[in-house]
Amino acid sequence: MTRYVLRRLAIGILTLVFASAVVFFVMEILPGDPARLMLGLNATEDAISALRQQMGLDQPVFVRYLAWIGGLLVGDFGRSYTYSVPVLELVTERAAVSLPLAFLSLILLTVIAIPVGLFAAARRGRAADAIVMGLSQMGVAIPNFWFALLLVYFFAVWLRWVPSGGFPGWQSGLWPGVKALIMPAVALALPQAAILARVTRGALIDVLGEDYIRTARAKGLPRNQVLWRHALRNALIPVLTILGLQFAFLIAGTIIIENVFYLPGLGRLIFQAITQRDLIVVESVVMLLVASVILVNLVVDLSYAIVDPRLRGAR
Amino acid sequence: MSDMSVTSAPSGTASFLRRALRNRSFMVGLVITLFVAAIALLSFVWTPYDITQLPVSERMKPPSATHWFGTDHFGRDILSMIMIGARNSIAVALVAVGIGMGIGVPLGTIAAARGGWLDETVMRFNDIIFAFPALLSAIMITAIFGPGAVNAIVAIGIFNIPVFARVARAGALALWPREFVMAARVAGKGAARITVEHILPNIVSLLLVQGTIQFALGILAEAGLSYVGLGAQPPMPSWGRMLFDAQTRMIVAPYLALFPGLAIVITVLGLNLLGDGLRDLLDPRLNRER
């Protein structure tokens, strides 16, 4: 158990280090000098080199990488080239929209997909199964941002139940904030739920063919108990694996979905930063998102050990 | 058993075709995919209207007999734009699958053949790439080189590398302990030669199925990227970009958002059905895995 956990932790940290190096060095080979960019066309060479020195741009790349990593660890993301405010300030303000959105859709995704997968697996080959599978085949093919546009049209433009977008801010209370995130979260979660429901069904059908399920049924356990307790637990590994991968899609999805609903999240920040060539902001946001993907996958890896005791001794 | 590939014996081909014709999801998927490909090819020689013309009098016309899918804010025919957009979607997704296979399959098969630290290195390299969703790669590439369709290809292609590396590795690992590989080793063949002569032909079906799935995902990813402005740039029509343009005009012209979206859904649905069907056809043992 400890060995498995330690190994996974080490791999997670290693991945994080290499991924941060990729982000940093890719952004480093950029043409264009941030100092020159900040000062504009009329700046003198002296002023530019002075600013370069102040920003530490005259240091060797490797030193700057270490300084950047060290900064990230203590919450110093540097200063935005265009806004001249700490990047951390910009990022936390926007992350307060994007991360709740990602987690809300993760919850919705799980809450929808697993019961639907169970339902379909329990009625394998019957009409209900066929309908669920047909719907999920459709769901897999629908781009989330198009689905979002349809939701906006149906609920905001046509029925006028909800505003078509925007975000009131958390200072106006928890419920108004969550309310503004519900439709975006549904748009993000449903297409992914279609995938997860298929995986859950497939994994359950495999497990339901096993001897211990027959034994459990034969000794008189109720069908539902066998399904939820015995079968689901054994089918959880593939489900968790896909769920971890889906978090990466949800993170990327929030960036796109924010554009549909005009949400002031990390997605809009990053696109602004790209047009303004505010690279330190792009770098920080990408790093933050990559780190959260790695973190969630680490949690998934570790949860295997809880779900499947056999893994604790393995590898 | 596992050498029952598409190109075995003539009688095998005949029975394969018979089974293919009976496989509903394969046939429906194949028909849809061929239809979309044909539309894309047709757009090179003919579209209902010339979309480089911007007739002011035809702006924002709802669907009618003259413009089946209506016209956009420049007066361009939506059907013609969707036809040309199909080219862009297919090209981006296809090249991205090519990149993923071209790099991922050698990586995966080498990792399986050599094992040890090399295998470990390849797997950890996969982990790193997996941490970058295609959108984040595209954002970084765009921040450096500016927006364009090539960025979308590269970003989606990079994302495909670990996918194919894993599939190829898993497939190869399952084959290495098999008797016919053992026999080849006893006959004195090296790891590289065994990989090319015995491993690769036997994982082609796995790769083909995964390729179809990644193709579908590539179409979706390209649409998302061009929707946020990181893909094909105007005036080149792309389905994602058309949806972006439709978004602000949805109250007056919802049809603008309807047809490009349907084009994406139908194409992806067709490819997914084709992939499912191929999986059933090429390796019945795989049925139970999903």
Side-chain angles (χ1 to χ4, degrees):
Chain A
M1 173 83 177
T2 333
R3 232 188 114 210
Y4 175 81
V5 170
L6 284 180
R7 191 190 138 83
R8 286 290 124 186
L9 271 176
I11 289 177
I13 292 169
L14 206 66
T15 312
L16 202 54
V17 169
F18 274 101
S20 70
V22 169
V23 173
F24 186 78
F25 290 104
V26 163
M27 304 303 278
E28 275 304 311
I29 59 165
L30 277 164
D33 178 347
R36 200 175 290 273
L37 215 73
M38 278 173 84
L39 292 174
L41 290 173
N42 299 322
T44 62
E45 288 301 317
D46 283 349
I48 291 172
S49 66
L51 185 64
R52 280 179 63 85
Q53 207 166 5
Q54 192 198 326
M55 291 168 74
L57 291 174
D58 54 341
Q59 305 274 338
V61 169
F62 192 67
V63 174
R64 279 190 288 144
Y65 169 68
L66 287 182
W68 180 63
I69 288 288
L72 289 184
L73 289 178
V74 297
D76 176 12
F77 287 47
R79 291 182 87 81
S80 155
Y81 297 161
T82 42
Y83 296 110
S84 287
V85 294
V87 175
L88 184 66
E89 233 171 73
L90 285 175
V91 167
T92 38
E93 191 188 316
R94 304 306 188 94
V97 179
S98 298
L99 293 186
L101 175 56
F103 281 108
L104 191 60
S105 27
L106 191 66
I107 293 168
L108 271 177
L109 159 64
T110 321
V111 169
I112 297 168
I114 291 181
V116 168
L118 257 171
F119 175 80
R123 283 162 190 74
R124 184 186 186 192
R126 286 195 246 160
D129 181 29
I131 291 169
V132 169
M133 283 298 99
L135 280 178
S136 84
Q137 187 72 266
M138 285 299 294
V140 174
I142 291 178
N144 53 26
F145 63 95
W146 185 59
F147 185 53
L149 284 174
L150 296 183
L151 288 181
V152 168
Y153 184 73
F154 191 72
F155 290 107
V157 177
W158 204 46
L159 293 175
R160 292 171 188 277
W161 283 0
V162 286
S164 63
F167 188 70
W170 293 113
Q171 70 277 0
S172 63
L174 185 66
W175 175 235
V178 171
K179 213 170 92 178
L181 294 183
I182 288 177
M183 207 156 62
V186 169
L188 266 174
L190 273 189
Q192 294 295 324
I195 299 174
L196 192 64
R198 293 180 80 85
V199 173
T200 309
R201 172 184 176 271
L204 273 168
I205 286 175
D206 281 353
V207 170
L208 287 175
E210 299 283 345
D211 291 340
Y212 56 81
I213 296 294
R214 216 170 6 160
T215 311
R217 288 285 284 145
K219 76 177 183 186
L221 287 182
R223 193 183 164 77
N224 271 330
Q225 192 183 339
V226 173
L227 213 53
W228 283 89
R229 288 265 301 276
H230 298 244
L232 186 60
R233 181 160 180 167
N234 281 291
L236 266 186
I237 292 258
V239 172
L240 278 173
T241 308
I242 300 296
L243 198 60
L245 291 177
Q246 283 185 312
F247 186 75
F249 283 96
L250 289 181
I251 282 283
T254 51
I255 292 182
I256 293 182
I257 287 291
E258 281 165 14
N259 282 281
V260 181
F261 294 95
Y262 304 100
L263 294 173
L266 290 171
R268 294 182 72 79
L269 176 67
I270 211 169
F271 289 119
Q272 267 166 11
I274 288 178
T275 35
Q276 295 161 339
R277 301 195 64 74
D278 196 346
L279 297 171
I280 193 155
V281 171
V282 178
E283 201 173 65
S284 309
V285 176
V286 169
M287 194 56 233
L288 187 73
L289 297 181
V290 167
S292 51
V293 171
I294 294 175
L295 203 69
V296 167
N297 280 309
L298 179 64
V299 171
V300 167
D301 272 350
L302 294 182
S303 63
Y304 289 163
I306 298 167
V307 174
D308 188 348
R310 281 169 306 183
L311 268 182
R312 287 172 199 163
R315 283 209 286 180
Chain B
M1 204 170 99
S2 80
D3 8 322
M4 54 155 256
S5 59
V6 196
T7 51
S8 44
S11 62
T13 314
S15 96
F16 177 82
L17 280 179
R18 239 192 335 272
R19 286 197 300 129
L21 283 171
R22 273 205 311 266
N23 186 314
R24 203 169 46 179
S25 97
F26 176 79
M27 287 314 288
V28 173
L30 186 69
V31 167
I32 295 176
T33 306
L34 290 178
F35 174 72
V36 175
I39 293 275
L41 287 176
L42 177 65
S43 77
F44 280 104
V45 291
W46 179 82
T47 51
Y49 290 86
D50 179 2
I51 62 155
T52 58
Q53 304 292 315
L54 310 174
V56 180
S57 58
E58 296 294 309
R59 275 159 61 172
M60 306 283 279
K61 287 277 182 334
S64 66
T66 46
H67 294 283
W68 286 7
F69 292 176
T71 62
D72 74 353
H73 54 294
F74 288 124
R76 291 177 295 184
D77 180 53
I78 297 288
L79 176 58
S80 308
M81 287 180 72
I82 288 180
M83 288 174 68
I84 296 175
R87 272 187 227 167
N88 175 59
S89 287
I90 292 175
V92 170
L94 206 58
V95 179
V97 168
I99 294 174
M101 276 197 187
I103 303 176
V105 173
L107 277 181
T109 45
I110 291 170
R114 295 267 176 239
W117 65 269
L118 192 69
D119 186 21
E120 189 70 23
T121 312
V122 169
M123 293 313 286
R124 296 292 79 82
F125 170 74
N126 277 349
D127 286 348
I128 295 169
I129 302 185
F130 255 131
F132 291 87
L135 183 70
L136 290 185
S137 309
I139 283 173
M140 289 205 294
I141 296 168
T142 308
I144 300 169
F145 299 107
V150 177
N151 296 351
I153 293 178
V154 174
I156 302 169
I158 289 176
F159 182 76
N160 279 340
I161 296 173
V163 175
F164 285 104
R166 282 188 184 197
V167 171
R169 177 178 175 272
L173 278 180
L175 290 172
W176 273 100
R178 296 277 297 275
E179 281 135 9
F180 66 95
V181 176
M182 294 291 201
R185 292 175 74 169
V186 171
K189 290 185 184 176
R193 196 162 156 210
I194 293 179
T195 298
V196 172
E197 288 179 9
H198 300 284
I199 305 287
L200 277 179
N202 282 298
I203 59 172
V204 162
S205 57
L206 276 176
L207 296 175
L208 207 61
V209 171
Q210 194 64 41
T212 318
I213 296 168
Q214 294 310 118
F215 195 162
L217 285 175
I219 301 257
L220 280 176
E222 192 282 330
L225 289 178
S226 53
Y227 169 75
V228 289
L230 299 179
Q233 296 298 303
M236 176 70 197
S238 68
W239 295 343
R241 195 72 200 169
M242 291 173 77
L243 288 174
F244 174 79
D245 287 334
Q247 187 181 337
T248 46
R249 302 176 176 86
M250 219 159 51
I251 296 175
V252 280
Y255 61 87
L256 285 177
L258 184 64
F259 297 109
L262 283 178
I264 300 170
V265 172
I266 290 170
T267 309
V268 175
L269 191 64
L271 283 167
N272 282 339
L273 288 173
L274 186 65
D276 283 359
L278 269 179
R279 181 170 26 224
D280 293 353
L281 285 175
L282 293 176
D283 198 344
R285 285 170 307 159
L286 286 174
N287 282 348
R288 278 164 44 89
E289 279 183 19
R290 291 247 159 170

